[in-house]
Amino acid sequence: MKSKLILILIFLWGICICGCEDELGDYVSISNLDGLSLYWDHEVFGDGGRRLRFEFYGTDEFENDYELKFKYIIHRKTISIRLVNIIDAGKCPSFPGMDPLCSPRGGLSIPDDQLNIGTYTLNLETPYFETNSELIVDNEKITLKIPPNKHFSSSINEVYPIPPNLLFGSVVYSGDENSQYAEDFFNDLLNLGLTTTKLPNYPYRHLSVDEEGNAIERHWEPDNHSIGFIYKMNNNFKDIFNLAKKHFKKSNINIYLYSSQGDQGLMNKNDGITVVFAD
């Protein structure tokens, strides 16, 4: 009975792998892919929501442009990232005075809700090599520890996700006479239920604070101002956007809103109003 169960599991695994490759097209084998370097960060904007983003680059160069396709599987505290396909995109672009060579590349993203706090084994599996690393997830940062090896490396050791449920951005205007309009907008945000907050001075991807953790203010001649802000919010970005739009239309201030869930509301007197609501 036990042996039959094992055979069934192997069969189902084979269907899964074959299904992934069928979706991606015909697998192309290249002569050598001796190593991969990794760029990675934490992203909140664009498709996919809050997520850990990986971009792999081959350490070898080829005459053709190859796209690497990866899939991931998380089982308990093990993350397996597999190279499941290589797509030949044709000859590399040619530029005068340069050899037309390029590195294979490709990536994937892992949503935040797939990663709990703790230490994971990160397996990178390719037909050419396999490596094991350690990914440590905590409340403030994510750390990648790659043991010394000749196949897999990254110049980035830590990334700092922007904390969830934050509103941040800036109010930009010219003329001291508009300072009161900015102040009125900030007061109405508090009336809406937001609370001002500070953050550690970490190297966040889309947000900077001063050494004390406050939003950054900038002033430049002759009479220009950019007032940054950071608030805790309660998933009510649409209400915040509608409030900001009223202030924008009745005053001469520009308002730039962002949430750490991926929302964006940009209001500029020259370009008009643009909004993107996170899924």
Side-chain angles (χ1 to χ4, degrees):
M1 182 67 183
K2 184 176 180 181
S3 61
K4 288 184 178 179
L5 179 59
I6 293 174
L7 289 174
I8 291 172
L9 291 175
I10 293 174
F11 176 75
L12 292 175
W13 175 253
I15 291 176
C16 176
I17 294 298
C18 291
C20 291
E21 294 186 359
D22 287 342
E23 291 178 4
L24 295 171
D26 295 333
Y27 188 94
V28 176
S29 179
I30 56 181
S31 59
N32 182 36
L33 186 63
D34 192 51
L36 291 171
S37 62
L38 172 66
Y39 170 85
W40 64 295
D41 58 34
H42 185 270
E43 183 60 84
V44 300
F45 299 113
D47 296 334
R50 292 176 58 90
R51 61 201 183 277
L52 198 60
R53 188 168 66 95
F54 295 93
E55 292 290 338
F56 296 94
Y57 297 87
T59 55
D60 301 293
E61 293 185 327
F62 300 88
E63 293 182 353
N64 282 24
D65 188 9
Y66 294 108
E67 181 181 0
L68 307 178
K69 294 290 187 177
F70 295 88
K71 293 286 185 179
Y72 75 90
I73 297 175
I74 300 177
H75 179 65
R76 296 180 180 174
K77 290 299 181 180
T78 298
I79 304 170
S80 296
I81 297 179
R82 293 188 173 97
L83 174 61
V84 296
N85 204 352
I86 302 176
I87 296 176
D88 189 343
K91 292 294 183 181
C92 297
S94 179
F95 300 98
M98 298 179 62
D99 292 331
L101 298 175
C102 48
S103 298
R105 61 196 181 279
L108 55 77
S109 295
I110 302 178
D112 277 16
D113 58 14
Q114 298 291 309
L115 296 171
N116 298 317
I117 293 175
T119 299
Y120 293 82
T121 297
L122 179 66
N123 295 334
L124 177 60
E125 304 173 13
T126 81
Y128 309 92
F129 61 85
E130 180 176 343
T131 64
N132 291 329
S133 305
E134 192 174 66
L135 190 74
I136 304 170
V137 180
D138 66 29
N139 285 320
E140 294 188 327
K141 68 179 179 180
I142 303 175
T143 304
L144 177 62
K145 295 184 177 180
I146 303 176
N149 72 96
K150 65 178 183 179
H151 297 297
F152 181 45
S153 63
S154 176
S155 61
I156 301 172
N157 299 317
E158 300 172 339
V159 299
Y160 292 82
I162 297 175
N165 297 319
L166 290 183
L167 177 78
F168 58 97
S170 60
V171 173
V172 181
Y173 59 91
S174 298
D176 288 339
E177 67 275 11
N178 291 304
S179 295
Q180 187 59 51
Y181 290 112
E183 191 65 28
D184 292 342
F185 171 59
F186 295 142
N187 287 333
D188 277 354
L189 288 177
L190 296 176
N191 292 334
L192 197 61
L194 281 70
T195 56
T196 56
T197 189
K198 294 184 177 183
L199 293 176
N201 186 17
Y202 293 151
Y204 297 114
R205 178 167 165 75
H206 298 291
L207 173 61
S208 298
V209 298
D210 63 21
E211 292 182 356
E212 296 179 354
N214 298 303
I216 295 174
E217 292 189 16
R218 294 186 175 91
H219 308 274
W220 63 98
E221 297 295 336
D223 193 10
N224 302 298
H225 311 274
S226 174
I227 312 299
F229 56 83
I230 307 172
Y231 294 93
K232 290 184 179 178
M233 56 181 287
N234 297 308
N235 282 330
N236 55 343
F237 185 84
K238 290 185 178 180
D239 295 334
I240 296 167
F241 171 75
N242 289 330
L243 174 65
K245 187 164 61 173
K246 291 179 181 178
H247 281 269
F248 172 74
K249 288 184 174 181
K250 71 179 182 181
S251 66
N252 197 30
I253 61 176
N254 303 302
I255 303 174
Y256 303 94
L257 303 171
Y258 306 91
S259 86
S260 57
Q261 307 307 114
D263 306 284
Q264 300 179 64
L266 313 178
M267 305 176 198
N268 183 283
K269 295 300 180 181
N270 293 324
D271 302 325
I273 298 175
T274 302
V275 63
V276 177
F277 295 116
D279 294 336

